[in-house]
Amino acid sequence: MLILQTDRDSLLKPLQAVTGIVERKHTLPILSNVLIRSRDGETDVLATDLEIQIHTGGPQTESGDFAITTNAKKLQDILRALPESAIVALDWADSRLTLKAGKSRFNLQTLPAEDFPTMNVEDETEIQFSLKQEDLKTMLGQVQYSMAVQDIRYYLNGLLLQVEGRQLRLVATDGHRLAYASCEIEAELPKAEVILPRKTVLELVKLLNRPNEDINIELLRNQVRFTCNGTVIVSKVIDGKFPDYNRVIPLDNDKIFLIGRSELLGALERSAILANEKFRGVRLQLLPGVLRILCSNNEQEEAQEDLEIAYQGGELEVGFNINYLMDVLRSVHSDDMQLAFGDANRSTLFTVPNQPNFKYIVMPMRI
């Protein structure tokens, strides 16, 4: 039975939108599959891991209603490997899906669509607002690198999304550094917050590819829903109490100077070549008119870079994980950064001149 005939990209694009969350090896084999179904000629594509679910529209069909599940990664890989101009036909019979394109033919296993476990999406929306995709993508880029990875403090393995009044705030921390970004939204909202899982954040960034169009965000009771570009992401939220980020922002650091972002990044990237591979330590020496960068390793190899700065305050030497410094400089796109130091045991504050909506705080390390 012919269920679908379309050009390659009309099927590949919706698949690519949903298959990022599909686990190759899952205790429930059907969760390695994607659900493709058609009602009244409208096709949609859905994938889930039971923590996050992505649903998007697919190509139109005139073959009647159907619902099948087949291996998401294999179907995507086959479509990717076909020529861009290929016309693809899908036949379904005896639990087998046959994909034909020109002289190519592929047989794939299917599993019953009625066995596909979709998430129960809550009905009641507690908070709802919209903003430009470009604004959200910029904010996510400014903070997401600070999320923890597999930390025992599970609430750090994600990102805080907080609304209050006309403000949207995103905060991420792994306990050693913290990134904060905010923007104005066109809604007056009560204070509310959720912790988005890491996987949800990474999928969201991929989805935000139409800068001038809006994304709609809904906070449900224990879920969050993002809608844009004809795609809907529903995600569970992390249950836990995110740390009070205001307490870790240093307010009285008095050794302050401006420095060119790309200039500092280049010097750190060169110095990092000779940093200790395990500890990734770098020493920053603050001297009148100079920021000195020092790296060394177990082979007694050393790197030194001197950067001119407009600074005439007291001298200071402080150690950091060099990756933490390079992360922020790669993720924030501005000509200059402002650095505010306290003492060797106090966190350092990175900001962008004239932009109070971004802050990055990094703790020192002993070297």
Side-chain angles (χ1 to χ4, degrees):
M1 168 184 152
L2 177 68
I3 57 171
L4 190 61
Q5 186 160 334
T6 186
D7 60 286
R8 182 197 79 150
D9 282 1
S10 293
L11 188 54
L12 179 57
K13 283 181 179 173
L15 264 176
Q16 288 175 324
V18 305
T19 51
I21 61 168
V22 175
E23 304 286 352
R24 283 185 186 273
K25 292 181 179 175
H26 208 289
T27 49
L28 207 56
I30 200 165
L31 290 178
S32 298
N33 285 11
V34 62
L35 174 65
I36 305 172
R37 60 193 175 189
S38 176
R39 291 179 192 147
D40 303 324
E42 297 290 332
T43 307
D44 58 7
V45 180
L46 186 147
T48 184
D49 66 359
L50 299 181
E51 300 291 320
I52 175 176
Q53 180 169 293
I54 307 183
H55 171 237
T56 192
Q60 292 191 319
T61 178
E62 298 174 2
S63 304
D65 295 357
F66 66 85
I68 60 166
T69 82
T70 193
N71 187 280
K73 296 281 199 257
K74 288 176 185 174
L75 181 57
Q76 180 179 269
D77 289 348
I78 290 167
L79 290 167
R80 271 192 186 142
L82 291 171
E84 282 185 33
S85 58
I87 299 298
V88 174
L90 297 183
D91 278 316
W92 181 37
D94 301 326
S95 301
R96 287 263 176 185
L97 181 68
T98 304
L99 186 153
K100 299 173 188 169
K103 294 181 179 177
S104 303
R105 183 187 179 100
F106 306 89
N107 284 322
L108 292 167
Q109 282 279 13
T110 66
L111 288 170
E114 56 268 24
D115 294 344
F116 194 82
T118 55
M119 283 173 60
N120 291 321
V121 181
E122 295 161 9
D123 294 331
E124 198 173 327
T125 298
E126 297 188 347
I127 300 280
Q128 182 171 352
F129 61 97
S130 298
L131 71 158
K132 287 276 181 283
Q133 292 185 33
E134 181 177 35
D135 294 341
L136 183 57
K137 190 164 191 169
T138 298
M139 289 173 67
L140 288 168
Q142 290 175 336
V143 303
Q144 66 170 34
Y145 54 87
S146 291
M147 291 187 290
V149 182
Q150 295 181 328
D151 196 294
I152 192 166
R153 296 162 295 180
Y154 55 90
Y155 49 84
L156 298 185
N157 300 320
L159 181 149
L160 178 72
L161 183 154
Q162 184 184 76
V163 290
E164 184 176 13
R166 301 179 71 85
Q167 284 266 310
L168 168 65
R169 306 184 189 104
L170 300 182
V171 187
T173 180
D174 60 7
H176 304 287
R177 34 102 176 253
L178 179 144
Y180 164 100
S182 67
C183 78
E184 282 227 347
I185 50 176
E186 294 179 6
E188 187 74 35
L189 299 170
K191 185 173 181 180
E193 60 185 47
V194 292
I195 305 174
L196 304 177
R198 179 185 188 83
K199 195 172 184 180
T200 303
V201 173
L202 300 180
E203 286 305 312
L204 191 52
V205 170
K206 286 193 261 178
L207 181 64
L208 299 170
N209 54 19
R210 297 183 192 171
N212 297 319
E213 293 186 19
D214 282 359
I215 177 166
N216 188 54
I217 301 174
E218 296 168 82
L219 306 188
L220 313 176
R221 199 163 50 85
N222 293 308
Q223 296 171 331
V224 61
R225 177 162 50 207
F226 301 94
T227 307
C228 69
N229 311 345
T231 299
V232 180
I233 296 179
V234 177
S235 170
K236 290 184 179 177
V237 297
I238 296 174
D239 184 23
K241 182 65 180 159
F242 201 81
D244 181 0
Y245 56 87
N246 286 307
R247 289 177 56 190
V248 303
I249 298 173
L251 301 175
D252 52 357
N253 286 3
D254 56 354
K255 297 175 176 62
I256 300 170
F257 59 91
L258 284 179
I259 192 164
R261 183 188 63 84
S262 56
E263 182 187 10
L264 177 56
L265 177 58
L268 288 168
E269 287 177 335
R270 291 187 293 273
S271 301
I273 297 166
L274 298 184
N276 182 296
E277 287 187 15
K278 185 177 180 185
F279 298 109
R280 305 299 290 159
V282 61
R283 286 178 292 140
L284 299 188
Q285 287 182 349
L286 197 50
L287 310 163
V290 175
L291 177 67
R292 178 167 293 159
I293 298 168
L294 298 162
C295 276
S296 59
N297 58 30
N298 294 343
E299 286 81 47
Q300 262 63 80
E301 297 169 326
E302 295 179 354
Q304 178 178 322
E305 294 259 357
D306 283 6
L307 301 175
E308 287 185 20
I309 53 172
Y311 173 77
Q312 296 303 322
E315 296 185 7
L316 175 70
E317 179 171 316
V318 58
F320 295 103
N321 181 318
I322 197 166
N323 292 348
Y324 292 176
L325 305 186
M326 294 191 294
D327 280 347
V328 65
L329 295 169
R330 287 171 179 150
S331 303
V332 175
H333 304 294
S334 64
D335 293 336
D336 295 315
M337 295 292 288
Q338 178 174 289
L339 277 61
F341 289 83
D343 57 43
N345 300 312
R346 197 183 301 178
S347 296
T348 295
L349 175 64
F350 284 68
T351 52
V352 177
N354 305 314
Q355 283 191 31
N357 57 356
F358 171 77
K359 296 180 178 70
Y360 180 74
I361 299 98
V362 59
M363 289 173 62
M365 68 182 282
R366 294 188 185 278
I367 299 176

